[in-house]
Amino acid sequence: MLWWIGNIVLLVAVVPVLVALLNRVLAALERIRAAADDILAGGGALAADLEDVPETLATTGATVDAVSQGAVRYAGSVAKLLG
């Protein structure tokens, strides 16, 4: 008889609590999955915009080299004038 009472208490009290907790976990999982899908879509769009970066960095490197050579020449001339 006590087994039947224990089974009824289990079905009436514990199982609904477990179902509610499982529902909350699954809802959070769905929100995380939606956020991950949004991140993946944004990353794919960003990757398409980054295709020209290596060429742009090469151009920037050449410009920096040219400017640094000019700056060294200018600094040498100023040093001779002040020196």
Side-chain angles (χ1 to χ4, degrees):
M1 183 67 180
L2 289 178
W3 280 101
W4 288 104
I5 295 172
N7 288 337
I8 292 172
V9 168
L10 180 69
L11 288 175
V12 171
V14 176
V15 171
V17 171
L18 291 177
V19 170
L21 291 175
L22 181 62
N23 189 21
R24 290 184 65 177
V25 169
L26 291 177
L29 179 67
E30 287 299 320
R31 288 192 304 271
I32 292 169
R33 182 177 296 157
D37 290 341
D38 291 344
I39 291 169
L40 180 62
L46 181 63
D49 292 338
L50 296 177
E51 290 177 359
D52 298 332
V53 169
E55 297 165 1
T56 306
L57 287 176
T59 304
T60 303
T63 304
V64 167
D65 289 340
V67 169
S68 67
Q69 290 172 2
V72 167
R73 283 195 312 260
Y74 176 75
S77 299
V78 170
K80 285 180 185 178
L81 290 173
L82 295 177

